[in-house]
């Protein structure tokens, strides 16, 4: 079930962090982070891309309420979502990188699928 991981943060901090990571992922195409964060970001990013595929005013407002940059929302609706028009989910891929040097946390890269 998505959204159940607490990630060691209070609710507001966790939500702001995930919003920022989803925005960065949609803006740049990939993010390097820990594996558990990548799994959380995946579910939220895929929901935003599904919103973009609907391309209605209501879905655009939903995306604007979650994504922190307006130009990223425009990119989502004009470039990213049309690319996945014939695809039913699975818009992102997670690649494991191995342990992080400082604390041995499992790191991963999350990317948008081509």
């Amino acid at each position: 079930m998505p959204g159940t991981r607490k990630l060691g943060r209070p609710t507001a901090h966790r939500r702001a962090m995930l919003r920022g990571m989803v925005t960065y992922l949609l803006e740049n195409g990939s993010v390097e982070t820990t594996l558990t964060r990548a799994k959380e970001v995946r579910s939220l990013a895929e929901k935003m891309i599904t919103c973009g595929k609907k391309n209605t005013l209501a879905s655009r407002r939903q995306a604007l309420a979650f994504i922190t940059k307006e130009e990223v929302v425009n990119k989502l609706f004009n470039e990213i979502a049309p690319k996945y028009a014939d695809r039913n989910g699975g818009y992102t891929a997670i690649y494991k990188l191995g342990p992080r040097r400082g604390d041995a946390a499992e790191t991963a890269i999350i990317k948008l699928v081509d």
Side-chain angles (χ1 to χ4, degrees):
M1 180 181 221
T4 56
R5 294 180 186 92
K6 294 190 178 181
L7 303 173
R9 294 162 196 280
T11 305
H13 186 182
R14 179 175 61 248
R15 192 163 153 74
M17 178 191 66
L18 292 172
R19 286 178 65 196
M21 290 181 77
V22 169
T23 302
Y24 190 84
L25 173 65
L26 295 174
E27 187 175 25
N28 298 312
S30 70
V31 177
E32 183 177 337
T33 183
T34 63
L35 184 61
T36 53
R37 285 184 193 173
K39 288 178 180 179
E40 283 296 307
V41 168
R42 173 176 50 192
S43 68
L44 295 171
E46 295 204 2
K47 286 177 185 174
M48 287 297 110
I49 293 171
T50 303
C51 265
K53 286 170 61 175
K54 292 177 190 171
N55 202 8
T56 62
L57 180 61
S59 64
R60 185 174 287 266
R61 286 180 176 166
Q62 274 185 323
L64 280 166
F66 189 80
I67 297 172
T68 58
K69 296 181 181 176
E70 192 171 340
E71 60 271 9
V72 175
V73 173
N74 291 331
K75 180 180 179 181
L76 171 66
F77 278 80
N78 298 331
E79 298 171 25
I80 298 171
K83 192 166 70 170
Y84 299 117
D86 57 341
R87 189 176 182 120
N88 295 325
Y91 314 120
T92 59
I94 295 175
Y95 302 102
K96 293 181 182 179
L97 296 177
R100 188 163 53 193
R101 183 154 188 234
D103 59 356
E106 187 70 32
T107 57
I109 291 180
I110 180 169
K111 291 183 178 183
L112 294 175
V113 175
D114 291 333

